[in-house]
């Protein structure tokens, strides 16, 4: 159950008009699946057409960071993980937000 929002920020960092944000529910959604859905939507592509997430980050580890413990209790932590996936810089945080913004190479700077 994701919820897409846009963030606008004039400083050129995370939050620029190129940023795409989607929310996910830790108790029912997989962070890795929601990430794939968001990138597929941005690329107007079928998720199976995307590069394997495992080539960029361990999807099971990503899910484990943000999912409830085995006994179902939520994780009482705050934090985030950042990585590059496909053409996007990705930030996933413990509040259940996935932020994507275009990855800029040194040639783009």
């Amino acid at each position: 159950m994701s919820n897409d929002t846009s963030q606008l920020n004039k400083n050129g960092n995370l939050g620029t008009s190129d940023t795409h944000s989607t929310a996910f529910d830790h108790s029912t959604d997989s962070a890795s699946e929601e990430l794939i859905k968001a990138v597929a939507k941005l690329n107007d592509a079928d998720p199976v057409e995307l590069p394997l997430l495992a080539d960029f980050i361990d999807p099971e580890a990503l899910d484990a960071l943000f999912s409830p413990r085995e006994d179902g209790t939520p994780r009482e932590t705050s934090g985030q993980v950042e990585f590059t996936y496909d053409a996007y810089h990705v930030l996933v945080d413990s509040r259940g937000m996935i932020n994507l913004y275009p990855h800029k190479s040194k040639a783009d700077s």
Side-chain angles (χ1 to χ4, degrees):
M1 171 178 10
S2 62
N3 177 27
D4 294 336
T5 59
S6 354
Q7 297 178 350
L8 300 175
N9 186 333
K10 302 213 187 272
N11 67 6
N13 295 323
L14 183 63
T16 66
S17 60
D18 292 341
T19 299
H20 176 80
S21 298
T22 188
F24 68 99
D25 182 341
H26 298 98
S27 62
T28 59
D29 299 332
S30 156
S32 61
E33 288 178 14
E34 293 302 318
L35 169 61
I36 295 296
K37 288 179 195 175
V39 172
K41 183 177 178 180
L42 285 173
N43 291 343
D44 194 25
D46 190 301
V48 298
E49 298 172 348
L50 298 176
L52 288 176
L53 183 58
D55 289 344
F56 297 85
I57 192 168
D58 181 339
E60 290 177 8
L62 178 64
D63 292 340
L65 284 172
F66 301 107
S67 64
R69 293 184 175 99
E70 286 190 30
D71 66 3
T73 59
R75 297 190 187 273
E76 300 290 331
T77 61
S78 62
Q80 63 188 27
V81 63
E82 293 183 61
F83 56 96
T84 300
Y85 173 63
D86 194 23
Y88 298 96
H89 183 84
V90 180
L91 185 141
V92 182
D93 71 37
S94 58
R95 296 172 301 144
M97 291 298 298
I98 299 172
N99 295 301
L100 301 162
Y101 60 98
H103 179 69
K104 298 197 187 298
S105 69
K106 291 182 180 185
D108 293 337
S109 300

